[in-house]
Amino acid sequence: MKKNIVLSITLLIFSVICSASEIINPFPRQIVKQTQIKEFNFNKSTAGWDDVINCSVKTKNGCLVITSSESDPQIYLKNISLAGPVKIHLKTKSKSRGTLQLFWTTDSSPSPTADKMVTLNTLPDGKWHEYSVEIPEKAKIKMLRLDPYAAEGEMEIDWIKIDEIKYHPLEIVQVLQSKDFVEAVVTNHSNKKIKFISGGKSFTIHPAAQLRLKQKVNLNSPFEAFDFNLKPDGKTKLPALVRPVNIINWNAETNWISLNSGNLKLKITTDGTGAKVFYKNNLCAALFPIAKSGNKILEFKIVGLSSNKIKLISENVENFTIELDKNYIKYCLEGRCPQRPNPHSNNKVAAVEGTPVFTGPTIRIKDSIEQALLPGVEYLGKNEKSSTDLDLKVKEHIRYKPDKMLVTMPLMSFVTPESSVAMKWQNMNLQPYFAVPDFFNGAAGGLMSLEGKKIKVLIRFSKGWNDGNNLENIIEWSVKLSGLPPVPKPPRTEKEQLQLCLKGIDSVHNENGWGHCADDHFQKLFYADYVSLIWRATGKIEKTPNLIPGGGHLPLPEAFFITGRAEKWLKIRINQAKEIIKSQKPDGSFRYDGKFREGHFEDTASGYCAVNAQQLLRIAYYTGDEKALAAGLKALDYISRFRTPRGSQTWEIPLHTPDILASARITKSYILGYKLTGDEKYLKVARKWALSGIPFVYLWGNQPIMKYATIAVLGATGWIAPNWIGLPVQWCGLVYADAILDLAEYDKTFDWKKLAKGIYICGEQMQYTSGKTIGTLPDSFTLKTQTRNIYDIGPLMLIQFQRRFAGKPCGIYAARYKGNTIAAPFPVKIKNGKAIINAQKGLDYQVIINQKVVDIKSKGRDEIELKF
C-alpha cells in the first residue's frame, strides 16, 4: 500500500511564508540539536534574578527563595542575549496556588506582553519537582521575567537551566490534495539555500522560500498511501524529512468484501487496509487506514466472515472484529505482546515487553461540515475549521491531539448535509485525534481517530443536517447510551454546607457591603443578592443605607421587596428594558463591535443576543411590560438562525468562542418565551440549547474533584491567557445548571435534574474550607493538581441550589392571568380572581401588580383581590 513518492514536477517557488493561522501542521518541526547554554544555581548569590516587583528574593541553603505578600509578584533577569528558541528547565517547590508564568522580551518587542508568555501548571504540594517549557521565540531574547504565582506565598528554586534549540531548517508545512495530484509545501526557514533529493531528483530551495512538490494520484486505486521523503544532499549533515499521506479516491473501485445491516453498507478491501461506508446507499465516509501501528498501515487476513461481521488477523493483533448492527459499526482491535526467540523455552519464543499501540479506525468524511464536536475541545459550526487561532493565539490552539484530560466526554462527531457520524468509546485512556478539514492528508471533510493498546469503539451513522439532524441529537444519544455518571457524594451535611456558605459571605464583606469576590480590588457594595440570601438563610434582614441590584451571577432581587424598595427595582428594570430595546436592530438582533469581534465571521453571536433576550424576557415576565415581551420574542426569532453556543462573555472572551453561558442564557430565554406565551415551540428550542451545554461538563473523572466540573469557554481570555480549555470555571456551570433545572419542570425526557445536581455538588467540592477566604468558590479549579485559583467568589449560587433542591423559596416569583402580572418574593398563584401568596407571617413586604407596588403585612397566607 505504501510507496516512496516519485516527484514529477517542482510546481512553484515563492518567498512568502504562510502564517500559522493559515496552516495547521500535525507533524511538528523536527529538532536536530538541543544544547545547554546557561545554568543558574544559587549557592552564593541570586545569579542576576534579583530585580523584583511585589516580592522579595534571597538565597538560602543553595536555593533562591521568592516571597510575595501582594498579588502579581514578578522577578526579572535582565541584560541577557539568548538566541531563540530556547527551553527553560527549573527545579522548584511551593505550596502557593496558581500557575507559574514566564515572560520574555526582544529588541523589537521590549515589553513583556501576554503574547510573549508561557505558563506552567505546578504542583502546590511543597515538594521538589522539575518542569520544562519551551520559549518559541526566533529573535534574540533580551530579558526573562518569572511570575511565581498570582497571589501571596513562597517559592523556592534549586536551579534554572536554559537549552538552545536548533530546528531542522526544512519543514514540510502542508500537504494539499486535488482530484489528480497531491502536493507537499516545503519551507526553508534558514538564510541559506539548501539542496535535497526526493523521488530520485535533486532540488534547491532558496532562503526563506517555499517549494511545492507535486505527485500524480493513482485514480484507479480507492486507497493509496505514500511518503514525501526529503533527503538533504551529502554535504548537508541534516536528517531526512518524511511526511506520510493517505489518499482516498472516492470514485475508484476494487475487489471488495461487503458487510450489510440496516441502512449501512461497508465495502472493505481484501487486505483490510481501507473501507468505504454507505448510509442509505449514499457514500458518506471511509475508514482509512482501518488500523495502523506507528506509521505502518496494517494489512490483514480474513479468518471469519458473515453478512454483517468480519474477523481479521495481522502481526501483533490478538483480536480484531468489525461488526455492523443496524446503523452501527462495532470496532474492536486488541494487540498481543510481540514474540521473540527464547532459547531457554521449549516453545522457543517469549513475549517482548509492551503491547503495541494502534491507531484506528481513522474515519474520514466525504462531504462538507455542518457541525463538528470534540467535547471540551472543539465545537464547530458550518464550514468552520478546527485548531484555528480564532479563540486562542498561543500554541495551545493546535489541539488535533488534545491532552486526554481536556476531553469532557468520550464522543466525536461530524454532521454533514446528507449524513452524520459519531464515534463513542468508554476507555478514557484512548487518545483522540480530530481534524477539520483533514489537514493530516491535505483533504477536505474531516478526520477523527483513536489511539491505544485496545480500541473498542461504537460508530453511529444517522441522517444529516438536511434531514433535521444536529449535534444536539447526537449528544443526547451519547449521554443516554452510557447514562450520566453518579452524582458525587456531598462533602458536608446540609447544615454544615450552609454554615460554610455563611462564612463565605463573611469572607467577602466589610463595612461598605459585600464584594462579588473576596479580593480587595472588587468593590464592596450593598448588593441585593447578598441581602436576599442572608434573609433566606438566616431570617435576618440586613439594614443597608441603599440597595444595588446584583452581586452574584443569578439575580436575587427579593431584598427590594422586603425592604420597601420594590418601586426602585421596578424603575431600574423598566429603564433597563428601554435601553436594551434602543440597541436592538430591526431584525431582532444585537450587534457587537468591540475588540473581541476580531476573527469572527459576523458581528453577532447566539450568546451575545441571548444576554439581552434573557434580560428583556425576565423583565416582561415579572413586570408584564409588553414592549419588553415583544422585543424579547423578536430576539428569540433571530436567535433561531444560530447553531453554535458562543459569544456570551465578551467582557474578556472573543465573540467567536464556544461558551457554556451561551447555552445557559439561550435555554433560559426560550423557557421564558414558553412561560410568557405558552407556545410549545419555545420549549422545544430550549431543550436543544440545553443539550448544547452538555459537552462543557465533565461526565467522567480520574481525579477526586472532576466529575461534573464545567468548562466555561473553548478559548482564552483575550486570545492569550488564561487558556480555559480543561480549566473548570464552576460558576459558569452553575448558571447553566440553573437553566436546565428550570427546564426539568417541563421536560421529562432527560434527567436534567441529575445533571444540575452533579454540577452543584461539584461546586461544593471546590469550595474553600479554610483560610481567609473560607466558604468562597474559586473562580477556576486545576484538575491535575486539584488546586483552587483566584478569584474567590461569594458562594451565593451554592445557597441558591441548596434551597432549590430542598424545595425552599429562592428569588422572586410571578403569576400571570388575563393580562395581569403579579411579582412577589414568595411563590404566588392566581385563583378565582385573587393572588394567593404563601408568605412569612408578620413580615412586611411588597408585591408588584401590573407595575404598581402594593404593601402587604403578611398573615402567612395572603390573598389579594385582582381587578381584571
Side-chain angles (χ1 to χ4, degrees):
M1 290 296 298
K2 181 175 282 191
K3 61 181 181 181
N4 285 331
I5 197 164
V6 178
L7 296 167
S8 58
I9 187 171
T10 303
L11 180 66
L12 182 65
I13 299 177
F14 59 100
S15 59
V16 178
I17 296 178
C18 298
S19 71
S21 63
E22 296 170 328
I23 296 173
I24 307 300
N25 188 0
F27 295 86
R29 192 173 167 196
Q30 189 172 331
I31 295 175
V32 295
K33 189 177 182 181
Q34 186 169 321
T35 308
Q36 182 176 311
I37 55 174
K38 277 191 178 295
E39 180 174 0
F40 301 91
N41 60 62
F42 307 102
N43 294 323
K44 297 181 179 179
S45 70
T46 59
W49 295 86
D50 51 14
D51 195 336
V52 300
I53 294 176
N54 294 336
C55 63
S56 63
V57 295
K58 65 179 180 180
T59 57
K60 182 180 179 181
N61 299 325
C63 298
L64 185 69
V65 180
I66 306 167
T67 304
S68 59
S69 56
E70 302 180 59
S71 61
D72 197 21
Q74 303 169 15
I75 175 171
Y76 291 79
L77 177 68
K78 296 183 176 180
N79 301 318
I80 58 174
S81 181
L82 303 175
V86 298
K87 182 169 278 191
I88 309 290
H89 311 271
L90 70 162
K91 183 178 179 181
T92 179
K93 69 176 180 179
S94 178
K95 292 184 178 180
S96 297
R97 60 194 175 106
T99 57
L100 186 65
Q101 296 178 325
L102 192 64
F103 292 80
W104 68 93
T105 64
T106 65
D107 285 331
S108 61
S109 183
S111 298
T113 51
D115 61 331
K116 287 186 165 30
M117 180 267 291
V118 291
T119 61
L120 281 167
N121 289 319
T122 56
L123 293 168
D125 57 5
K127 299 178 181 179
W128 289 107
H129 298 281
E130 294 183 17
Y131 304 98
S132 296
V133 64
E134 182 179 338
I135 295 180
E137 177 62 62
K138 296 179 182 179
K140 289 277 187 182
I141 297 169
K142 308 301 291 185
M143 182 271 288
L144 291 173
R145 187 185 105 189
L146 187 68
D147 288 16
Y149 299 100
E152 63 185 51
E154 184 175 279
M155 172 184 176
E156 293 183 56
I157 301 175
D158 188 10
W159 47 256
I160 300 173
K161 299 175 184 178
I162 302 177
D163 293 347
E164 183 181 49
I165 297 173
K166 295 293 185 183
Y167 284 102
H168 199 300
L170 298 183
E171 180 184 10
I172 302 174
V173 296
Q174 189 180 26
V175 292
L176 301 166
Q177 286 189 38
S178 60
K179 179 182 177 182
D180 299 322
F181 294 93
V182 61
E183 297 175 330
V185 181
V186 184
T187 294
N188 181 0
H189 292 280
S190 75
N191 58 5
K192 298 179 180 179
K193 66 180 180 179
I194 297 175
K195 294 182 178 181
F196 64 90
I197 298 170
S198 188
K201 295 185 178 181
S202 181
F203 299 89
T204 300
I205 184 168
H206 293 277
Q210 284 190 335
L211 179 149
R212 293 195 179 196
L213 306 175
K214 190 173 182 180
Q215 167 66 24
K216 189 172 179 61
V217 172
N218 180 5
L219 297 178
N220 295 318
S221 174
F223 306 112
E224 187 177 6
F226 50 77
D227 292 337
F228 283 103
N229 194 318
L230 280 61
K231 184 179 180 181
D233 68 13
K235 297 179 182 179
T236 306
K237 295 181 180 180
L238 291 170
L241 293 181
V242 179
R243 172 72 180 265
V245 186
N246 298 317
I247 304 297
I248 299 173
N249 297 309
W250 295 99
N251 297 322
E253 294 293 337
T254 189
N255 294 323
W256 302 102
I257 299 164
S258 293
L259 304 181
N260 295 273
S261 181
N263 292 314
L264 273 188
K265 182 175 184 177
L266 195 64
K267 294 169 68 172
I268 308 172
T269 58
T270 54
D271 62 359
T273 55
K276 290 185 178 180
V277 184
F278 296 79
Y279 176 72
K280 292 186 176 180
N281 297 316
N282 174 53
L283 175 58
C284 60
L287 312 183
F288 182 61
I290 286 181
K292 66 177 184 175
S293 181
N295 287 324
K296 180 183 178 182
I297 295 176
L298 298 182
E299 296 185 7
F300 295 91
K301 292 182 179 179
I302 302 170
V303 294
L305 181 64
S306 67
S307 63
N308 69 320
K309 185 175 181 179
I310 189 169
K311 185 173 182 179
L312 305 160
I313 61 170
S314 183
E315 181 184 2
N316 296 331
V317 174
E318 181 74 26
N319 178 51
F320 184 29
T321 57
I322 299 175
E323 179 182 2
L324 270 61
D325 183 3
K326 296 181 180 178
N327 295 329
Y328 298 91
I329 298 175
K330 297 177 179 178
Y331 177 105
C332 184
L333 174 63
E334 186 174 2
R336 69 163 66 93
C337 291
Q339 305 292 305
R340 65 182 177 190
N342 184 355
H344 304 292
S345 169
N346 292 330
N347 295 327
K348 301 300 182 183
V349 293
V352 177
E353 287 292 326
T355 303
V357 174
F358 300 104
T359 304
T362 300
I363 300 178
R364 296 162 66 182
I365 58 169
K366 182 174 182 287
D367 297 325
S368 61
I369 291 289
E370 295 287 345
Q371 289 179 298
L373 176 71
L374 175 54
V377 182
E378 299 277 12
Y379 202 134
L380 306 178
K382 185 178 177 65
N383 295 328
E384 292 188 302
K385 300 177 181 179
S386 63
S387 287
T388 69
D389 60 4
L390 297 176
D391 309 302
L392 283 162
K393 291 186 178 181
V394 290
K395 67 177 183 178
E396 286 82 9
H397 80 87
I398 305 295
R399 48 194 189 270
Y400 57 82
K401 183 185 177 183
D403 185 314
K404 288 168 278 190
M405 281 191 67
L406 303 183
V407 180
T408 56
M409 56 187 286
L411 175 70
M412 291 186 281
S413 184
F414 298 138
V415 177
T416 73
E418 302 301 327
S419 62
S420 302
V421 57
M423 180 185 285
K424 182 173 177 59
W425 62 100
Q426 291 182 328
N427 181 4
M428 293 305 293
N429 289 319
L430 294 177
Q431 173 65 59
Y433 289 81
F434 185 89
V436 180
D438 176 9
F439 44 72
F440 282 83
N441 301 294
L447 173 150
M448 57 183 172
S449 189
L450 291 169
E451 180 182 79
K453 294 181 179 181
K454 180 179 180 180
I455 301 173
K456 187 175 182 180
V457 62
L458 184 66
I459 307 164
R460 176 184 186 249
F461 287 85
S462 55
K463 62 185 180 180
W465 180 268
N466 292 345
D467 292 323
N469 202 10
N470 54 43
L471 275 181
E472 292 70 40
N473 293 336
I474 294 167
I475 293 163
E476 181 179 16
W477 161 78
S478 175
V479 176
K480 285 188 172 180
L481 186 65
S482 54
L484 290 169
V487 173
K489 182 181 178 181
R492 291 165 287 279
T493 66
E494 287 194 11
K495 183 177 180 181
E496 291 169 341
Q497 175 61 27
L498 179 58
Q499 291 303 311
L500 181 62
C501 287
L502 292 175
K503 290 179 180 178
I505 290 176
D506 288 341
S507 294
V508 299
H509 178 259
N510 65 19
E511 67 277 5
N512 297 315
W514 299 268
H516 177 64
C517 295
D519 307 83
D520 290 340
H521 64 277
F522 284 88
Q523 189 177 10
K524 305 298 187 286
L525 297 169
F526 296 107
Y527 284 118
D529 293 354
Y530 282 98
V531 176
S532 298
L533 267 191
I534 291 170
W535 167 62
R536 292 289 195 194
T538 68
K540 177 185 177 182
I541 300 176
E542 295 280 344
K543 294 182 179 179
T544 61
N546 56 52
L547 208 56
I548 307 296
H553 292 106
L554 298 173
L556 294 164
E558 54 260 53
F560 288 95
F561 291 73
I562 62 171
T563 63
R565 296 173 169 124
E567 184 72 35
K568 178 181 180 181
W569 177 85
L570 178 63
K571 288 181 179 178
I572 289 171
R573 292 308 174 211
I574 295 297
N575 288 334
Q576 181 187 20
K578 290 177 181 178
E579 292 303 311
I580 294 173
I581 292 170
K582 285 180 184 178
S583 68
Q584 189 175 31
K585 302 301 179 184
D587 61 2
S589 69
F590 296 90
R591 303 287 168 164
Y592 174 77
D593 195 30
K595 66 178 181 179
F596 293 115
R597 182 190 167 186
E598 180 187 330
H600 193 40
F601 52 81
E602 58 184 338
D603 62 350
T604 188
S606 59
Y608 188 75
C609 288
V611 171
N612 291 309
Q614 183 182 352
Q615 293 282 14
L616 287 169
L617 292 169
R618 277 184 57 85
I619 293 166
Y621 184 69
Y622 291 115
T623 70
D625 189 282
E626 291 298 328
K627 290 182 179 179
L629 173 59
L633 294 178
K634 192 174 185 179
L636 293 188
D637 290 342
Y638 185 81
I639 292 171
S640 65
R641 69 189 283 273
F642 295 111
R643 60 180 71 179
T644 307
R646 57 165 47 115
S648 202
Q649 301 189 48
T650 50
W651 61 85
E652 62 176 300
I653 301 295
L655 184 68
H656 178 272
T657 303
D659 174 6
I660 194 174
L661 279 190
S663 298
R665 286 169 173 158
I666 301 171
T667 300
K668 194 87 169 182
S669 297
Y670 277 97
I671 293 171
L672 285 166
Y674 170 71
K675 286 182 174 181
L676 286 158
T677 67
D679 193 332
E680 295 272 346
K681 73 177 182 181
Y682 293 121
L683 204 56
K684 183 179 179 181
V685 179
R687 188 180 188 280
K688 168 189 174 292
W689 286 102
L691 289 166
S692 77
I694 295 176
F696 296 89
V697 184
Y698 275 96
L699 299 185
W700 71 287
N702 59 11
Q703 301 292 325
I705 302 174
M706 185 171 173
K707 287 179 184 175
Y708 292 101
T710 55
I711 300 304
V713 296
L714 304 185
T717 294
W719 293 280
I720 304 296
N723 173 10
W724 301 106
I725 297 176
L727 182 61
V729 178
Q730 206 63 11
W731 73 260
C732 289
L734 288 165
V735 175
Y736 170 70
D738 174 69
I740 61 175
L741 199 54
D742 283 358
L743 183 61
E745 182 179 346
Y746 307 101
D747 179 36
K748 307 303 181 184
T749 63
F750 190 90
D751 200 345
W752 299 112
K753 190 172 182 179
K754 182 178 180 179
L755 181 59
K757 189 162 190 177
I759 294 169
Y760 157 55
I761 296 298
C762 185
E764 286 190 349
Q765 290 178 311
M766 293 180 181
Q767 214 171 350
Y768 290 97
T769 57
S770 62
K772 68 178 184 179
T773 60
I774 184 173
T776 61
L777 179 70
D779 183 60
S780 65
F781 186 88
T782 304
L783 294 174
K784 286 186 177 180
T785 59
Q786 295 284 284
T787 52
R788 295 157 177 84
N789 307 313
I790 60 169
Y791 296 97
D792 303 335
I793 303 168
L796 296 176
M797 286 193 289
L798 297 178
I799 302 177
Q800 287 172 271
F801 277 96
Q802 185 184 64
R803 294 187 65 83
R804 288 194 69 178
F805 279 110
K808 297 178 180 179
C810 192
I812 60 172
Y813 299 82
R816 296 166 61 86
Y817 183 72
K818 291 186 177 181
N820 291 270
T821 301
I822 178 170
F826 298 99
V828 56
K829 61 182 179 180
I830 298 175
K831 187 176 181 181
N832 299 326
K834 295 180 180 180
I836 302 172
I837 306 171
N838 293 315
Q840 180 180 320
K841 187 175 181 180
L843 177 72
D844 293 330
Y845 68 97
Q846 295 175 314
V847 298
I848 299 175
I849 303 175
N850 298 330
Q851 299 189 17
K852 293 183 179 179
V853 176
V854 177
D855 295 309
I856 299 173
K857 186 173 186 64
S858 182
K859 298 176 183 179
R861 176 184 168 91
D862 302 315
E863 296 184 2
I864 306 169
E865 289 282 350
L866 300 177
K867 297 178 181 180
F868 296 106

